[in-house]
Amino acid sequence: MASFLRSAKLASRLTQGPTKCFSRNYADQMNFTFAAANQIFYANKNIKQVDVPSFSGSFGILPNHVPTLAVLRPGVVTVYEDEGTSKKIFVSSGTITVNEDSSVQVLAEEAHPIEDIDGSAARQVLQEAQSQLSTASGDVAKAEAAIAVEVAEALVLAAGN
Amino acid sequence: MTRIVSGERCATANYGSTPKQTAVPRLRLVLITRERPITRLQSAYPLFDPAVQFLDHLHGHYPDQHQPIQRSVVTRTKSFFIFYCLPNNSTMMMISKPTTMVVCLKGAATGQQQNRNMATLKQISMRLKSVTNIQKITQSMKMVSAAKYARAERELRQARPYGEGVRAFFEKSGATEAVETGDNNKLIVAITSDRGLCGAVHTNVAKTIRNELSTESVESPQSKVFCVGDKSRALLQRLYAQNIAVVANEVGRKPPTFLDASKVANELVQLDFNSGKIVYNRFKTVVSYQTEEVPLLSAKTMLAAPKLQLYDSIDQGVMESYQEFTVAALLYYTMKESACSEQSSRMTAMDNASKNAAEMIGKLTLTFNRTRQAVITRELIEIISGAAALE
């Protein structure tokens, strides 16, 4: 009897789960702003989902995401638009803000669509950054060079996609 | 408001020749209005009479001019600047309005225009030429700023959603006010530029900050001021020099970039502050802007925001990085707004200056032609009457 009850509960949970997920996915609006100092990509647009790289790990944001603050890591932001298309944009650094009213702000220092990235130029940047890191002296210079390497690596990865 | 300032500050102003009419031979004296210096005191301008009386009064009280004059109230001369050159060559300046700029023009007094002769004709033509040159300069400055404005406006349209995105967190988390702590060290950032001749954009920013600072008592911990642009420093250093913490210059020659903003932000986060604000000019239309403030919060203040419990996975490190980037982004946005307001304001100011110059040219041309005619007529009369006398 007890096992039957448990399985019934499980079944109900299983049947409820996807519907909940479904409602989270499509029923709500997401007020999405994605801007960089060089370009505005989205201003208060409604989108399905956005995947962002952050220092506490990459994560996806759907409507009604729990409010959070995070710092962008160099990498690719993927935006799934309402029409079903997706866009991949490389970001260097910045912030992610998810507010309680389901508005999301992704603010980058510099951002470009990955189609615009030249792979060979990115590899060259990476080489330069690596040689700079090996010759850097002093803590500040080393940290700066390490950041440059990190950005360049992300850039090469993004260009390879 | 009358203050006596002595020393080198007024050394740059030029004081004219010894006035002939005054009975003080050792006292060199120039009365400078905002328009022109008057070397002849018995001028044709009735407005200056109180000033002349005041100077007579001074002469009566300080015949040898060896002691400085501490305080004197002059009626109806509120916008005058009076310079004294004492016999030992030290200078004294009386300012009745400390905020007004001293515009000291070299050249002859216009009071001499009454005796219409060749010399005046020459003077008028010289003046006409200089006004024409000034008009050319202001016109080309207007063209330059119009081009720069177009670019600034285009870039501002890009930066607006960015700025709104930054501010959204403050509004939605309620992190707009600083927590009241014992030591409330505030930081005020003045967003101006190095360049003048742009109406009152910089003055408005400085005025807002000055009003804020004037409410503080001397005993309590004082607010610090971060001046972005030389103009705000120049406007604030006279009264609040001890409040100025950092000055960033080389602002305004080129449009602000994110790199500029990060440089400023880097300096800024190193200052110890609990709360603060950025005072900037928000661009509205080509002819209007508004001086506004945005809050500037430290990581500590942001962590104490009323709705922050709602936010997930926040630790000190994330908050610090977040705050640093936010400061840079806010600075970038406000610098863009300010740059656009400045260019539009300069455009308007230079347009007005060109119009005024055109008006002056019109008047001077009229005077010039009249004088020329008068000279011709006088010469004719002289010749005719000379000929008539011979008959």
Side-chain angles (χ1 to χ4, degrees):
Chain A
M1 191 64 189
S3 68
F4 167 73
L5 266 178
R6 209 184 298 147
S7 58
K9 258 185 200 166
L10 191 70
S12 69
R13 211 186 294 159
L14 276 172
T15 46
Q16 250 177 14
T19 39
K20 248 189 191 168
C21 208
F22 185 82
S23 73
R24 267 184 68 135
N25 253 335
Y26 299 109
D28 295 291
Q29 299 279 307
M30 182 158 141
N31 197 357
F32 180 64
T33 302
F34 181 11
N38 59 324
Q39 202 180 344
I40 305 292
F41 294 94
Y42 298 89
N44 296 324
K45 282 267 177 62
N46 191 28
I47 56 152
K48 267 186 198 164
Q49 187 191 337
V50 56
D51 293 349
V52 286
S54 91
F55 278 105
S56 43
S58 297
F59 61 99
I61 303 168
L62 292 168
N64 281 337
H65 190 279
V66 63
T68 188
L69 301 178
V71 186
L72 274 178
R73 207 184 46 200
V76 177
V77 171
T78 316
V79 183
Y80 300 97
E81 288 168 348
D82 255 356
E83 296 82 43
T85 50
S86 72
K87 238 187 188 177
K88 289 190 169 189
I89 296 153
F90 176 80
V91 290
S92 61
S93 63
T95 58
I96 306 150
T97 315
V98 183
N99 292 309
E100 55 167 338
D101 59 351
S102 198
S103 68
V104 177
Q105 284 95 34
V106 178
L107 302 170
E109 191 180 336
E110 191 89 30
H112 290 281
I114 54 165
E115 304 91 80
D116 296 357
I117 297 171
D118 182 356
S120 59
R123 273 187 289 280
Q124 204 181 329
V125 168
L126 177 59
Q127 270 172 9
E128 274 168 27
Q130 274 164 343
S131 66
Q132 207 151 33
L133 179 60
S134 56
T135 54
S137 62
D139 285 348
V140 178
K142 258 183 199 153
E144 277 175 2
I147 291 168
V149 169
E150 194 184 346
V151 174
E153 274 170 357
L155 205 57
V156 170
L157 260 178
N161 278 350
Chain B
M1 282 304 283
T2 310
R3 300 190 317 123
I4 304 272
V5 184
S6 63
E8 319 76 59
R9 267 187 205 152
C10 34
T12 47
N14 69 324
Y15 9 90
S17 57
T18 316
K20 291 174 191 113
Q21 273 81 4
T22 44
V24 195
R26 286 190 295 163
L27 174 68
R28 282 197 292 166
L29 187 147
V30 189
L31 185 71
I32 299 171
T33 70
R34 293 171 70 184
E35 285 176 3
R36 54 181 82 88
I38 302 298
T39 47
R40 294 178 55 185
L41 282 174
Q42 259 81 41
S43 67
Y45 294 87
L47 194 67
F48 298 158
D49 286 345
V52 174
Q53 279 166 21
F54 165 64
L55 295 170
D56 287 341
H57 162 84
L58 279 186
H59 175 227
H61 278 78
Y62 304 97
D64 45 3
Q65 283 296 317
H66 281 308
Q67 61 220 89
I69 300 135
Q70 287 303 321
R71 186 186 296 269
S72 274
V73 180
V74 196
T75 49
R76 288 176 62 206
T77 55
K78 287 273 153 128
S79 61
F80 292 164
F81 299 87
I82 300 171
F83 290 82
Y84 307 94
C85 190
L86 297 182
N88 58 359
N89 252 351
S90 63
T91 318
M92 269 172 37
M93 177 166 66
M94 196 197 76
I95 309 173
S96 42
K97 255 191 191 172
T99 52
T100 326
M101 287 263 290
V102 181
V103 179
C104 187
L105 295 174
K106 256 186 184 170
T110 41
Q112 288 175 349
Q113 264 182 19
Q114 257 99 23
N115 46 349
R116 288 175 177 160
N117 52 23
M118 290 300 276
T120 346
L121 205 58
K122 174 89 173 154
Q123 274 167 4
I124 294 171
S125 75
M126 271 161 63
R127 188 121 188 254
L128 197 58
K129 209 170 156 189
S130 89
V131 176
T132 319
N133 283 339
I134 290 170
Q135 196 197 23
K136 272 183 201 158
I137 293 168
T138 55
Q139 261 171 352
S140 52
M141 277 178 87
K142 188 199 153 197
M143 302 298 271
V144 170
S145 58
K148 282 191 176 169
Y149 158 75
R151 186 176 169 190
E153 210 256 329
R154 204 170 55 233
E155 286 179 348
L156 177 64
R157 234 180 286 145
Q158 289 279 315
R160 274 243 164 105
Y162 199 66
E164 277 157 17
V166 181
R167 293 169 77 170
F169 167 70
F170 295 138
E171 282 151 21
K172 280 161 188 166
S173 68
T176 44
E177 282 297 312
V179 267
E180 285 300 321
T181 48
D183 54 332
N184 195 22
N185 44 356
K186 272 165 66 183
L187 179 74
I188 307 175
V189 186
I191 306 284
T192 57
S193 82
D194 290 356
R195 304 272 164 130
L197 294 176
C198 50
V201 272
H202 302 325
T203 326
N204 280 345
V205 169
K207 208 191 277 169
T208 313
I209 294 172
R210 215 184 287 135
N211 287 345
E212 174 98 19
L213 292 177
S214 66
T215 56
E216 285 184 348
S217 65
V218 187
E219 295 85 39
S220 71
Q222 298 200 324
S223 300
K224 277 176 276 184
V225 180
F226 191 122
C227 296
V228 179
D230 265 343
K231 283 287 162 189
S232 54
R233 182 186 57 97
L235 289 164
L236 289 170
Q237 71 174 359
R238 184 168 291 180
L239 288 171
Y240 298 105
Q242 78 280 7
N243 292 62
I244 297 175
V246 191
V247 181
N249 56 12
E250 272 298 304
V251 184
R253 203 160 53 83
K254 283 178 180 163
T257 60
F258 200 86
L259 193 66
D260 295 331
S262 338
K263 268 186 194 164
V264 172
N266 213 5
E267 284 296 319
L268 207 152
V269 292
Q270 282 166 24
L271 295 172
D272 172 42
F273 67 98
N274 281 343
S275 72
K277 56 182 164 191
I278 304 177
V279 182
Y280 71 107
N281 289 306
R282 199 180 120 87
F283 173 76
K284 283 164 82 181
T285 60
V286 189
V287 286
S288 69
Y289 58 88
Q290 197 167 12
T291 311
E292 284 185 3
E293 305 168 348
V294 285
L296 191 66
L297 306 175
S298 63
K300 203 166 56 179
T301 318
M302 274 162 110
L303 279 171
K307 282 189 185 169
L308 203 83
Q309 290 83 354
L310 292 170
Y311 289 81
D312 195 27
S313 70
I314 291 173
D315 54 38
Q316 191 75 34
V318 167
M319 203 40 150
E320 265 169 27
S321 311
Y322 187 87
Q323 186 255 352
E324 279 172 23
F325 186 81
T326 306
V327 168
L330 265 183
L331 281 169
Y332 173 72
Y333 165 66
T334 50
M335 280 162 99
K336 281 280 180 219
E337 287 271 7
S338 240
C340 193
S341 314
E342 186 193 321
Q343 292 304 344
S344 71
S345 175
R346 177 171 293 123
M347 217 164 73
T348 323
M350 287 300 114
D351 192 36
N352 285 339
S354 305
K355 271 184 199 153
N356 287 345
E359 202 179 300
M360 257 175 107
I361 289 170
K363 278 184 184 160
L364 281 172
T365 319
L366 200 69
T367 321
F368 179 80
N369 287 339
R370 280 217 184 114
T371 317
R372 190 175 51 87
Q373 248 175 340
V375 169
I376 294 167
T377 316
R378 204 185 61 206
E379 279 174 3
L380 274 176
I381 289 170
E382 276 166 11
I383 293 164
I384 292 164
S385 45
L390 285 177
E391 273 173 13

